[in-house]
Amino acid sequence: MKHLWRLLPFTFILLLAGCGKQNLSALDPQGPVSEIQFSLIMLSLYIMIFVIVVVFVIYVLVLIRFRDRPEHTHIPKQVHGNKALEVIWTTIPIVLLLILAVPNVMQTFTLADTEPTDADMVVRVHAHQFWWEFEYPDYDIVAGQEMYIPTNTKIILELEASDVIHSFWVPALAGKQDNVPGIMNPMWIEAPNEGVYMGKCTELCGPAHWQMDFKVIAVDPDTFETWAANMVEGPQDVADTGNELAVEGRAVFEQSCISCHAVAGEGGNPQGGPDLTNFGERIVAAGYLEFNDDNIEAFIRDPQRYKPGNAMQAFPNMSQDEMDALIEYLHTLKVLE
Amino acid sequence: MAQHGMDPSAPLTGEPSKKTKRKLARELRTQIISFILMIFLTSLAFVSIASDAIPASFALPFILLLAVIQVILQLYVFMHLNERGNGWPNAMIWSGVLIAIPTVAALMLLLGVVKW
Amino acid sequence: MSYAKAQSKSTLWDWLTTVDHKKIGIMYLVAGAFFFALGGLEAILMRIQLMFPEFTFLPAQTFNELLTMHGTTMIFLAAMPLLFGLMNYIIPLQIGARDVAFPFLNSLGFWLFLFGGILLNISWFVGGAPDAGWTAYVPLSSESPGTGIDYYVLGLQVSGAGTLIGGINFLVTIINMRAPGMSMMRMPLFTWSSFVASILILFAFPALTIGLLLLMLERVFDATYFNVGMGGNVIIWQHLFWIFGHPEVYILILPAFGIFSEVIPTFAKKRLFGYSAMVFATLIIGFLGFMVWAHHMFTVGMGPVANSIFAVATMAIAVPTGIKIFNWLLTLWGGRIRFTTANLFALAFIPSFVMGGVTGVMLATSAANYQFHDTYFVVAHFHYVIIGGVVLGLFAGAYYWWPRIFGYKLDEKLGKIFFWLFLIGFHLTFFVQHFLGLIGMPRRVASYLDGQGLNAMNLISTIGAFLMAVAFIIFVVSIFTSRNNKVTEEDPWGDGRTLEWTIPTPTPEYNFAQTPLVRDVDALWYEKYEGDGKMKAAEPLGDIHMPNGSILPIVISLGLFIASFGFIYHHAGFTWLAVVGLAITFGAMFVRSIKEDHGYHIPVDEITNNKGGE
Amino acid sequence: MADHTIDHNTLPPNPEKATLEGRNKFMGFWFFLGGETVLFASLFGTYLGLRGGTVDGPGPSELFHLPFVFLMTMILLTSSLTSVFAIISMKRGNYKGLLAWMTVTVLLGVAFLGLEIYEFVEYVDHGLGFTTSAFGSAFYTLVGTHGAHVAFGIAWITTLIIRYRKSGLTLTNAPKFYTAVLYWHFIDVVWVFIFSIVYLMGIGG
Ligand code: HEA
Ligand code: HEA
Ligand code: CUA
Ligand SMILES: [Cu+2]
């Protein structure tokens, strides 16, 4: 019952969107922040529907009653105006706006409550053209593209950018804040439910702006602790698994890739690419491509074709054997099992 | 709009009326007095900064106040904004100031470095 | 005196040198329509790209260029000049003046706009158009490679100077050139709202001028205002842009409001309801328009106090706008409404604009704006207010004043087909975009992934855009096919209320043989029903003084056009071109200032001949 | 809107506003100054926003030299007074006086501009270039825009003096001289804020 009211106007859209799957819709809030925002959206929507209905009713009435007809010959009375009416249509909108403005101001402050306490977790979000980096200062972890968080924990995000302005948006969890070079913007999110939440960059940041997607993955706090510990440890050493191909792949990786991509704290550089420690567990590759070998290979051979303007070096001439080994190795980069 | 038969590039001859002359003499006096006042205000501003005796917390608002007074003198005495018939120029200048204030304030304060 | 001299020139030369507000108005309309078609074409290309998910009709870079040029072209080169065209032609007629206050500057303003617009579009052919959005946020714009952004900066700087000049010109014209008896509170509402829009231009454009100056110095001369590593700050640009940018949207809508306030009373045969409330509301909107700009920046991190203040201030604008909406409805109430094409556009405006306006208030809800911002919800909002307000206003104004300006009526049948197709296409295109935004589609995306529930609505949106394109082509066709509907009467609608309907068609070059005497708001209506139907003259018939034409406005603009290339290609060693260009500009200004030009007189018999009808 | 009747024996009290063209010019120019207010506000705001962005370059307190700025201020202030004298001469029908005072105004303007250029050269020597830091860029842009206004004013008034050196006062040139003087005063108005906000506040804290 409690949830029925909010479903009414958008039921058909929700069906269209199939949003349960994607966790992409601001109309299907999955956490306290997006709930607050959703309730404001609905409050404002109801006020606006009221306004629209009032205007439409007068409008339709006028158009029907006062259309010119051939039998009309009178000159309409040239009315100057009406004080009482002016007062009415000044006051009523003011009242309607107050109904919206007061909760809005309160919630604006609620959402700005980003002073971290001991119970909260801090994640620094660095945005790059065109990928995301998540740094967990309390754990000494850096993760690329996919942000793991524990459920039911208030997460304070500290947003930063290294090149141009980006904007961090996970519609189902929270509205956006901008990642601005030279400035740190705090915001907070919380996810009561486990799940994968789609995130998008919403500030035009170059040709591959539309592909600058990311994921927020909420897991139960225990899983999160495991994940965090293993991110520091790194994935299991491929030499221990007896996977020859992967060992070969690691060699390729260490020769060509490690200068930009760190794995378990080794390699990488500040101007480099995403941390690949848990790449094998990615839901998508490069932020938006379906996670399969063909896509990964194609991306490595020609990153520009996929995300124009991105900073990764291309490897068009890598031999097929090396490529197969490399991809095998990339698949072993897992920390959760 | 013919100028009543007057050629616009013919030199204007003749003397100003007596009334105008008196007005101009008065005006000249006001102008000189306000110039002296401006010199004084300017010097005061410089001195209040140059001398170490006056604390900055006082000197800064003080010099801004002096600047405002001086500008009002410029606008109303030198530029005659106080004269009758200058309603529109007044309106536009003050509208400009009205918009200038939030502009400066925002650029000083709302740059994201300090959150309000 | 020297009348013969003014006649002996060729037609082309006559148009190039004209300082007649009517011809300048027509040139604004033609150039504006051209840029509207261009901006529309850019929109259509974007919509084709967005028709299907992961469609590869256009590369992402091209898409970004199209979206930037679409926004920039539509706002600066289409909507504003089209409004300027109507303002130029109509304001002097509505206030009973023979010309604007500064005919020379008026022409200069037009040529600056045109050269600026051409400059901007040259970027397409020399290495790519600007690609950072019409808002050109730094550092994306300041560090964008290539010359696209340089063209943006200089193109807008040049055309912006033209706009500022135009604004001052309208202000002084309206203040100083009104016919006797026309007090401020007897001015037609179109003149009033253009007046307030001009005030907004006067105070908004300088902020843009500085923003563009800084961006140019940053890109061309390595300044560091926006360079974080050098102590710079990137938010400064956003403030400067929006201190200009928000008033800009009211610069667009207020004259459109003015048009509706002329069209609706005319076709309802009823005086505008609540004239003084309308004037007052316009002024309030103008004032508040300057106090709300940061509602575009809720997510940049100004903090909750700043966000709350700007949110509440923004919401306040709904009140005066609502006053206007209800006054229009009450004007219709009790009238005899004729559904001419002009009036159809005006009537369609009311519900369309209200829908766009209320989504504006939703956007102003700062805490909810974090969800809306930079999504298609915003795109839907502003196309509803811009197309549902400004564009419908332009079409209403075009149909209404067409006979006055061009001497013939546009075909009503084609007009109605155009109207319905355009209106349906418009709602089809943009209504669904509200939902696209809410279910997760950011704006300025070159494509979107399949399987996110965005496909159907994007397709609908594109179909709507095609309907608008078909409608627009019908309009263009009707311009040519209607040319036989010649109009000769002074007041072709029969219900004209204001001074522009008191003079012969086609409009004589001196507008009014005798300056009229104004005795009430709706001067003509008053004479029709309280007098003998003819305006009283405020002066005896006499020679009429007219300004001479001049080629200098083109020369001044051309100089800046040339100089711009010098700045754009500064790094390639073309700085000398800037010197040459500026020398041409300042040289022409110098010539203008030392050459006195007192115009010429049209003798009385010439005027009486014309009055008898040619 | 009837024009003031012009009687050949008495000078109109406000020759600059005696014709419609003059009144238009007068009004339009004031409005332009209203716009300039916002233009300079944008520059002042930018400067104040970036004032602290000195990075490794020198900051205000290391550069600014008060006595020098005081001298510049006095010169500009005096030129404002001499332009007032010019207008009073004009209204008295003393055309020679008008030209003479305008010439003095221009000379003072040139002196001011010379000092400003000298000042900039000094600062560059002390390590503050246009591209040294955001502070440097913002400083030169603000003060330089003012300087550009001074230069334009000098060129404008000089043109007027030369063009009209022999014409005597006319209904056409009176508004031109008048608006040029308004412009000159406005330059001084802006300078008041520059010396207060840039220089005095730069030294004072
Ligand atoms: C003609 C242009 C125009 C007009 C008139 C408006 C009008 C309004 N706009 Fe809009 N706006 C734009 C053009 C325009 N806008 C553009 C181009 C952008 C995007 C720029 C970009 O980023 O590229 C934008 C973006 C924009 C934003 C930023 C969104 C974002 O990026 O996050 C906001 C936020 O507050 C906003 C608010 C408003 C409001 C409150 C009004 C109000 O003026 C509306 C007032 C009208 C009504 C409310 C309807 C009538 C009133 C009644 C019937 C009375 C009763 C009503 C109530 C009680 C609600 N607009
Ligand atoms: C006055 C302003 C104005 C107008 C009228 C329009 C009109 C239209 N706009 Fe646009 N729009 C903006 C201002 C405007 N827009 C702005 C400011 C932006 C933001 C840009 C940015 O983000 O930086 C924007 C962004 C924008 C987007 C979002 C892009 C993105 O974020 O990725 C879209 C997408 O659908 C869009 C679509 C349209 C469409 C379909 C029309 C249609 O109404 C167009 C209708 C016109 C036509 C269809 C004419 C067609 C002409 C022909 C077919 C040629 C025929 C020629 C002859 C007959 C001679 N616009
Ligand atoms: Cu990053 Cu868009
Ligand atoms: Cu706005």
Side-chain angles (χ1 to χ4, degrees):
Chain A
M1 199 56 221
K2 188 174 139 261
H3 288 267
L4 203 59
W5 58 273
R6 66 157 64 130
L7 290 177
L8 278 172
F10 289 117
T11 317
F12 79 105
I13 293 300
L14 296 186
L15 290 176
L16 255 171
C19 64
K21 268 199 335 264
Q22 289 285 340
N23 278 328
L24 173 61
S25 172
L27 301 179
D28 183 19
Q30 301 288 318
V33 176
S34 50
E35 302 254 3
I36 288 175
Q37 288 160 339
F38 182 72
S39 65
L40 276 172
I41 293 175
M42 295 316 287
L43 173 63
S44 63
L45 186 70
Y46 289 130
I47 295 176
M48 300 316 148
I49 288 176
F50 173 76
V51 169
I52 289 176
V53 167
V54 170
V55 171
F56 276 39
V57 166
I58 303 177
Y59 179 75
V60 171
L61 223 62
V62 161
L63 289 195
I64 293 173
R65 278 190 54 190
F66 301 106
R67 55 194 312 140
D68 196 17
R69 296 204 175 79
E71 66 270 23
H72 284 174
T73 50
H74 69 284
I75 296 299
K77 192 158 170 274
Q78 304 292 308
V79 193
H80 281 236
N82 184 317
K83 280 261 161 56
L85 282 176
E86 302 282 355
V87 172
I88 290 175
W89 60 53
T90 309
T91 323
I92 294 179
I94 291 179
V95 172
L96 291 176
L97 291 173
L98 282 176
I99 296 175
L100 181 58
V102 171
N104 175 51
V105 170
M106 285 160 54
Q107 303 295 25
T108 301
F109 280 89
T110 312
L111 297 184
D113 177 20
T114 50
E115 228 14 81
T117 65
D118 288 345
D120 305 337
M121 191 177 108
V122 175
V123 181
R124 285 200 195 113
V125 180
H126 302 272
H128 307 263
Q129 280 171 322
F130 302 91
W131 58 281
W132 297 86
E133 183 176 315
F134 304 101
E135 184 191 343
Y136 299 69
D138 304 338
Y139 295 87
D140 217 11
I141 304 173
V142 175
Q145 306 287 36
E146 294 177 358
M147 176 165 82
Y148 283 77
I149 55 168
T151 50
N152 290 314
T153 310
K154 185 172 175 182
I155 318 284
I156 311 286
L157 303 175
E158 300 182 349
L159 309 179
E160 284 166 358
S162 61
D163 32 49
V164 300
I165 304 178
H166 305 265
S167 192
F168 178 95
W169 187 36
V170 193
L173 290 182
K176 57 196 75 61
Q177 278 288 301
D178 292 355
N179 297 65
V180 185
I183 288 167
M184 191 280 282
N185 279 334
M187 69 181 280
W188 65 276
I189 56 171
E190 190 174 329
N193 307 318
E194 286 188 50
V196 176
Y197 303 93
M198 276 284 286
K200 294 190 174 187
C201 173
T202 49
E203 183 64 61
L204 178 62
C205 53
H209 158 63
W210 78 273
Q211 293 142 317
M212 196 169 153
D213 291 359
F214 61 96
K215 303 275 182 292
V216 173
I217 301 168
V219 292
D220 68 85
D222 292 339
T223 314
F224 178 79
E225 290 302 330
T226 320
W227 177 82
N230 290 349
M231 280 298 279
V232 179
E233 282 292 301
Q236 197 182 10
D237 190 333
V238 280
D240 301 343
T241 60
N243 185 339
E244 290 299 320
L245 196 56
V247 175
E248 262 175 61
R250 179 166 68 182
V252 179
F253 188 87
E254 280 172 354
Q255 190 203 334
S256 306
C257 321
I258 204 153
S259 58
C260 291
H261 294 285
V263 172
E266 278 185 35
N269 79 61
Q271 274 78 49
D275 183 289
L276 296 182
T277 310
N278 61 341
F279 180 76
E281 284 157 354
R282 289 272 199 280
I283 293 161
V284 290
Y288 82 107
L289 289 167
E290 199 183 318
F291 193 84
N292 62 40
D293 293 356
D294 289 346
N295 278 343
I296 297 173
E297 172 174 348
F299 182 81
I300 295 170
R301 289 202 186 279
D302 188 4
Q304 289 306 317
R305 205 182 120 209
Y306 291 88
K307 291 176 110 174
N310 85 74
M312 173 156 151
Q313 183 191 333
F315 294 90
N317 303 322
M318 186 178 282
S319 76
Q320 197 58 49
D321 292 343
E322 279 181 321
M323 184 59 81
D324 293 343
L326 182 60
I327 291 176
E328 181 66 24
Y329 169 67
L330 290 176
H331 278 300
T332 67
L333 297 175
K334 295 184 173 173
V335 299
L336 267 181
E337 52 201 50
Chain B
M1 297 263 159
Q3 276 89 43
H4 297 258
M6 226 357 226
D7 178 358
S9 48
L12 293 170
T13 50
E15 291 274 298
S17 67
K18 280 249 160 53
K19 194 168 137 244
T20 312
K21 273 188 178 160
R22 267 201 306 278
K23 184 172 162 270
L24 287 175
R26 242 192 346 263
E27 206 178 291
L28 186 62
R29 225 175 13 251
T30 343
Q31 312 277 28
I32 291 176
I33 292 172
S34 64
F35 175 73
I36 293 169
L37 203 58
M38 286 180 198
I39 297 276
F40 174 71
L41 293 176
T42 307
S43 311
L44 205 60
F46 275 86
V47 167
S48 67
I49 292 293
S51 88
D52 298 329
I54 300 162
S57 57
F58 173 77
L60 293 185
F62 182 61
I63 59 169
L64 282 181
L65 180 71
L66 294 183
V68 169
I69 296 174
Q70 184 163 171
V71 162
I72 289 177
L73 283 177
Q74 279 271 2
L75 289 172
Y76 283 88
V77 182
F78 280 10
M79 297 167 88
H80 300 104
L81 260 191
N82 56 349
E83 276 178 12
R84 242 171 8 97
N86 281 352
W88 283 111
N90 257 297
M92 292 299 171
I93 284 291
W94 289 110
S95 303
V97 172
L98 193 69
I99 293 157
I101 291 169
T103 300
V104 174
L107 289 170
M108 277 180 81
L109 303 174
L110 299 183
L111 295 182
V113 182
V114 182
K115 314 282 182 205
W116 296 90
Chain C
M1 238 193 286
S2 43
Y3 187 43
K5 191 185 86 194
Q7 272 223 320
S8 61
K9 303 282 160 57
S10 75
T11 317
L12 176 67
W13 183 255
D14 185 39
W15 281 89
L16 293 180
T17 60
T18 187
V19 294
D20 178 358
H21 72 96
K22 296 182 287 300
K23 287 188 174 148
I24 294 173
I26 291 174
M27 291 196 291
Y28 267 118
L29 290 176
V30 172
F34 168 76
F35 284 120
F36 183 81
L38 189 61
L41 198 64
E42 285 156 355
I44 294 289
L45 291 175
M46 285 197 293
R47 279 313 327 165
I48 294 177
Q49 164 65 16
L50 293 173
M51 189 155 55
F52 304 114
E54 298 165 62
F55 203 34
T56 50
F57 174 66
L58 298 168
Q61 174 64 23
T62 310
F63 182 90
N64 288 354
E65 291 171 19
L66 283 171
L67 94 91
T68 305
M69 288 298 280
H70 162 70
T72 313
T73 302
M74 281 298 197
I75 300 264
F76 291 97
L77 308 179
M80 254 205 305
L82 287 169
L83 291 167
F84 263 44
L86 292 177
M87 284 155 75
N88 242 305
Y89 202 103
I90 300 301
I91 288 175
L93 303 186
Q94 281 198 330
I95 62 174
R98 297 233 162 82
D99 207 326
V100 291
F102 306 110
F104 178 89
L105 291 182
N106 198 19
S107 149
L108 177 60
F110 169 75
W111 291 108
L112 285 171
F113 140 67
L114 188 63
F115 276 101
I118 293 171
L119 184 63
L120 188 58
N121 278 285
I122 285 177
S123 62
W124 283 114
F125 308 102
V126 289
D131 57 359
W134 83 288
T135 52
Y137 276 12
V138 294
L140 184 65
S141 59
S142 53
E143 277 156 26
S144 164
T147 51
I149 302 287
D150 301 312
Y151 278 94
Y152 168 94
V153 167
L154 285 144
L156 290 189
Q157 195 71 287
V158 172
S159 77
T163 309
L164 185 59
I165 289 173
I168 293 180
N169 183 26
F170 289 129
L171 287 175
V172 179
T173 304
I174 293 171
I175 289 176
N176 276 356
M177 313 273 284
R178 277 170 288 132
M182 180 167 284
S183 61
M184 290 301 277
M185 289 311 274
R186 279 185 189 167
M187 284 190 332
L189 247 263
F190 176 63
T191 300
W192 247 120
S193 54
S194 302
F195 180 73
V196 178
S198 301
I199 297 178
L200 299 192
I201 289 176
L202 176 63
F203 296 124
F205 270 75
L208 178 69
T209 304
I210 292 305
L212 293 173
L213 174 76
L214 301 187
L215 187 51
M216 181 188 91
L217 293 174
E218 179 105 356
R219 283 181 61 90
V220 178
F221 297 105
D222 306 317
T224 57
Y225 324 97
F226 309 130
N227 186 333
V228 172
M230 302 292 275
N233 181 297
V234 298
I235 306 297
I236 287 180
W237 165 266
Q238 298 190 16
H239 279 295
L240 289 175
F241 186 86
W242 289 118
I243 288 170
F244 147 77
H246 185 79
E248 167 68 19
V249 305
Y250 294 111
I251 294 169
L252 297 177
I253 199 66
L254 288 181
F257 283 174
I259 294 170
F260 299 124
S261 303
E262 304 292 321
V263 173
I264 290 177
T266 301
F267 294 111
K269 274 198 170 56
K270 204 164 149 273
R271 180 191 160 106
L272 186 69
F273 193 86
Y275 175 91
S276 38
M278 285 297 230
V279 170
F280 191 62
T282 309
L283 286 165
I284 299 277
I285 293 175
F287 169 73
L288 285 177
F290 276 103
M291 301 297 150
V292 301
W293 77 86
H295 65 217
H296 296 273
M297 300 166 60
F298 284 143
T299 63
V300 301
M302 297 179 299
V305 176
N307 280 4
S308 300
I309 292 174
F310 280 104
V312 174
T314 304
M315 290 178 185
I317 300 188
V319 177
T321 316
I323 292 178
K324 300 193 74 120
I325 296 282
F326 292 114
N327 275 304
W328 284 313
L329 287 173
L330 267 277
T331 305
L332 292 165
W333 190 279
R336 277 172 55 191
I337 305 168
R338 284 165 62 193
F339 293 93
T340 56
T341 309
N343 203 28
L344 282 178
F345 278 109
L347 294 172
F349 147 80
I350 294 177
S352 306
F353 180 82
V354 167
M355 287 169 68
V358 295
T359 54
V361 177
M362 292 176 75
L363 286 168
T365 313
S366 49
N369 178 278
Y370 305 151
Q371 287 286 15
F372 300 132
H373 178 67
D374 266 345
T375 68
Y376 262 84
F377 190 88
V378 177
V379 177
H381 155 68
F382 68 74
H383 284 91
Y384 259 87
V385 277
I386 289 183
I387 298 180
V390 185
V391 175
L392 293 186
L394 283 166
F395 287 137
Y399 272 84
Y400 180 57
W401 281 311
W402 202 272
R404 167 55 51 217
I405 299 176
F406 296 105
Y408 65 93
K409 271 192 185 177
L410 287 172
D411 188 74
E412 284 286 312
K413 206 181 211 151
L414 279 180
K416 281 172 187 162
I417 298 174
F418 161 47
F419 165 77
W420 284 110
L421 271 182
F422 190 83
L423 188 74
I424 294 168
F426 154 57
H427 283 278
L428 216 51
T429 310
F430 297 109
F431 187 70
V432 288
Q433 291 186 357
H434 294 106
F435 302 106
L436 280 174
L438 289 171
I439 64 171
M441 182 157 166
R443 65 190 281 204
R444 295 171 168 172
V445 288
S447 193
Y448 50 94
L449 294 176
D450 197 3
Q452 298 190 337
L454 306 174
N455 305 7
M457 284 190 274
N458 269 301
L459 184 59
I460 294 174
S461 185
T462 303
I463 293 171
F466 274 109
L467 282 187
M468 276 192 278
V470 172
F472 185 73
I473 289 170
I474 292 176
F475 171 66
V476 175
V477 168
S478 84
I479 292 177
F480 294 98
T481 57
S482 316
R483 290 170 75 174
N484 293 329
N485 303 346
K486 283 260 180 308
V487 167
T488 47
E489 58 271 55
E490 299 170 351
D491 177 14
W493 299 113
D495 290 319
R497 312 176 68 87
T498 38
L499 287 178
E500 74 268 32
W501 305 116
T502 64
I503 46 179
T505 311
T507 316
E509 64 167 325
Y510 45 79
N511 301 350
F512 297 88
Q514 289 165 286
T515 304
L517 179 71
V518 176
R519 304 202 287 171
D520 198 355
V521 228
D522 294 342
L524 173 59
W525 185 270
Y526 181 84
E527 299 299 338
K528 275 183 191 166
Y529 292 93
E530 311 287 330
D532 60 2
K534 289 261 169 268
M535 292 308 297
K536 309 272 167 295
E539 57 173 16
L541 205 55
D543 290 357
I544 293 176
H545 177 243
M546 301 293 290
N548 280 325
S550 168
I551 193 69
L552 289 176
I554 294 192
V555 180
I556 294 175
S557 311
L558 186 69
L560 289 180
F561 182 73
I562 293 170
S564 300
F565 286 100
F567 290 117
I568 294 170
Y569 296 106
H570 167 75
H571 288 299
F574 282 91
T575 320
W576 57 271
L577 212 52
V579 179
V580 172
L582 290 177
I584 294 174
T585 296
F586 282 108
M589 283 165 65
F590 181 75
V591 171
R592 164 75 187 168
S593 88
I594 64 167
K595 218 181 94 195
E596 278 185 15
D597 180 354
H598 300 296
Y600 63 98
H601 286 83
I602 302 179
V604 177
D605 35 321
E606 185 98 25
I607 299 161
T608 28
N609 279 348
N610 192 13
K611 258 186 121 179
E614 279 172 291
Chain D
M1 288 278 122
D3 291 342
H4 292 270
T5 316
I6 289 157
D7 158 355
H8 286 256
N9 297 317
T10 49
L11 211 56
N14 293 308
E16 77 278 3
K17 283 188 273 190
T19 63
L20 179 63
E21 283 77 9
R23 285 194 298 278
N24 285 346
K25 211 170 243 171
F26 174 83
M27 193 71 81
F29 199 78
W30 266 109
F31 293 1
F32 169 73
L33 294 183
E36 288 260 279
T37 310
V38 180
L39 186 118
F40 276 103
S42 306
L43 285 172
F44 274 107
T46 305
Y47 172 79
L48 287 168
L50 295 176
R51 189 159 63 120
T54 50
V55 209
D56 305 324
S61 52
E62 296 143 56
L63 289 171
F64 300 155
H65 191 52
L66 280 191
F68 194 78
V69 179
F70 186 74
L71 180 64
M72 285 167 74
T73 307
M74 286 303 144
I75 291 175
L76 204 59
L77 203 53
T78 311
S79 79
S80 220
L81 183 73
T82 56
S83 67
V84 162
F85 289 162
I87 292 303
I88 288 189
S89 304
M90 174 178 101
K91 292 189 176 176
R92 282 183 169 154
N94 176 1
Y95 191 68
K96 287 240 166 60
L98 167 67
L99 291 185
W101 283 119
M102 285 307 246
T103 311
V104 177
T105 305
V106 166
L107 291 177
L108 288 168
V110 171
F112 174 87
L113 200 60
L115 289 177
E116 185 157 89
I117 291 168
Y118 172 79
E119 183 203 3
F120 281 5
V121 172
E122 279 284 282
Y123 293 166
V124 173
D125 283 349
H126 281 81
L128 186 76
F130 181 61
T131 58
T132 307
S133 62
F135 160 71
S137 297
F139 169 79
Y140 286 114
T141 311
L142 169 58
V143 183
T145 304
H146 176 265
H149 275 71
V150 176
F152 185 83
I154 291 170
W156 180 9
I157 297 177
T158 310
T159 309
L160 286 183
I161 293 173
I162 296 175
R163 166 69 178 82
Y164 291 113
R165 66 197 179 284
K166 292 200 189 106
S167 69
L169 186 65
T170 68
L171 287 174
T172 317
N173 65 24
K176 295 190 181 194
F177 279 111
Y178 195 88
T179 44
V181 167
L182 280 184
Y183 182 78
W184 197 260
H185 288 309
F186 188 77
I187 289 174
D188 202 23
V189 166
V190 173
W191 181 256
V192 169
F193 283 108
I194 291 190
F195 85 67
S196 302
I197 289 176
V198 176
Y199 292 101
L200 294 183
M201 275 171 66
I203 300 268

